[in-house]
Amino acid sequence: MKARGTTAKPWFTSFRVRLFVAIMLMVSAITAVGVYLVQRTAAASSARDLQRDFEAQLAALHSTEESRNTALAERCRTLVMKPRIHAALEDNALDLLYPSARDELRDLMEPASADVAASSHASFYRFLGRDGAVIPPDDAQSIGPLAPDDEAQLAIRGLPQQQQIGYLFREQNGATERVDQVIAMPIFSSETGNVIAALVVGFPLNETAAARARPTMRSGVWMKGQLHLPSVPRAAQIALADQLSRVIAASQQAQTSFNVEIDGAPNLLFYNPLNPGSVYPPAYEICVYPLTESIARRRRLQREVIGAGFGLLLVGLIGSHFASGRLSRPVEQLAVESE
């Protein structure tokens, strides 16, 4: 019989319940810390994988571009040594300049093989006089037609002493349809050694073989507020061009990367100067790397980690129930005997 005046204690104040709650809180805390550490480690690993893949694609792209640019520069260096071109310039026989150049540079405009066409087929060429202005051609169709405004962009204030790189945005129907990489090679007099003219050659700039081999990386060119990125819709190009104008104007770094959205999809955008120190307007290489797959992989990993955490928490709940029952039994027995 119970002593008079004693009342039964509520179940939630029993030692077993308090022990169960204490063990459960400890298990929950350990599980939460474990899930946080695993998730942070997985996120860091995913970021490293993303950075490594991005840098690998970027390195492959730059390697191909560097090889192409070296080959084009060497080809232009060979072209300016043509004797008939030198004769026309040094004798001031400018009426014979382009007719002589058509014969000397025929393979530049009409490559003899597919390999030459792929590597160094020019879309146009022009000569600059001693004042840096374009020497008007007698027949522009045979040396690559250019609009008057496009031709005026090739002029240089003072002839350069070394090779110059530029980019020519050519518009059709109010939109930038193509970009040409411009190489201006000085022509030195064989008598005085002074620069007497310059050969300007334009090569069509398309997505390189490295970019085609790695379709996740999309590349283009930004210059003077205009962006040429053929694989991106025109409306998105205009929005990106405005954003790049603000970022490049405000940034103190020559190259950097930041996140952008293109058609609602997250991307990593990287820009890098293409012609530092050139007399032509500065142009920037633009590389866009999609983050959709990386984000989906990271979210999938997060779900797996959280799911594993809940599973561990459930196991801890069951274990805490049995552990609290076993550990509280002697105490409860002692309490009964004490009463």
Side-chain angles (χ1 to χ4, degrees), residues 90-126:
E90 295 191 15
D91 295 341
N92 202 26
L94 298 184
D95 56 329
L96 300 177
L97 177 60
Y98 283 102
S100 300
R102 266 190 286 273
D103 295 333
E104 297 284 2
L105 310 182
R106 187 181 304 276
D107 60 338
L108 182 68
M109 301 299 296
E110 301 174 1
S113 66
D115 293 337
V116 174
S119 62
S120 58
H121 176 31
S123 53
F124 66 87
Y125 67 86
R126 295 291 188 274

Side-chain angles (χ1 to χ4, degrees), residues 46-210:
S46 177
R48 285 195 301 269
D49 292 342
L50 170 66
Q51 189 67 22
R52 184 166 54 247
D53 184 60
F54 172 73
E55 290 177 354
Q57 294 200 33
L58 193 62
L61 183 66
H62 286 171
S63 177
T64 303
E65 290 176 347
E66 184 177 355
S67 300
R68 175 181 181 272
N69 292 342
T70 302
L72 295 180
E74 184 60 32
R75 183 164 175 77
C76 291
R77 194 171 293 109
T78 302
L79 293 174
V80 298
M81 300 302 294
K82 298 290 185 177
R84 294 177 62 185
I85 295 176
H86 268 265
L89 289 170
E90 295 191 15
D91 295 341
N92 202 26
L94 298 184
D95 56 329
L96 300 177
L97 177 60
Y98 283 102
S100 300
R102 266 190 286 273
D103 295 333
E104 297 284 2
L105 310 182
R106 187 181 304 276
D107 60 338
L108 182 68
M109 301 299 296
E110 301 174 1
S113 66
D115 293 337
V116 174
S119 62
S120 58
H121 176 31
S123 53
F124 66 87
Y125 67 86
R126 295 291 188 274
F127 288 96
L128 305 182
R130 296 178 185 271
D131 58 353
V134 175
I135 300 175
D138 56 345
D139 180 15
Q141 293 298 322
S142 60
I143 61 173
L146 286 175
D149 291 341
D150 295 336
E151 196 170 81
Q153 295 183 52
L154 303 179
I156 297 176
R157 184 175 298 178
L159 292 177
Q161 297 289 323
Q162 57 187 0
Q163 169 192 305
Q164 301 293 323
I165 301 293
Y167 291 85
L168 176 63
F169 279 61
R170 302 169 68 180
E171 294 187 356
Q172 296 178 5
N173 300 324
T176 303
E177 298 292 339
R178 62 178 297 173
V179 174
D180 293 291
Q181 183 182 25
V182 175
I183 298 180
M185 190 67 64
I187 302 176
F188 294 90
S189 170
S190 56
E191 299 176 355
T192 63
N194 297 326
V195 180
I196 56 175
L199 172 65
V200 179
V201 185
F203 297 94
L205 186 68
N206 300 314
E207 288 188 314
T208 62

Side-chain angles (χ1 to χ4, degrees), residues 219-243:
S219 63
V221 177
W222 178 91
M223 186 182 72
K224 294 194 300 185
Q226 291 181 289
L227 175 63
H228 179 69
L229 195 60
S231 54
V232 172
R234 182 62 186 167
Q237 288 190 56
I238 295 174
L240 280 178
D242 293 339
Q243 188 173 358

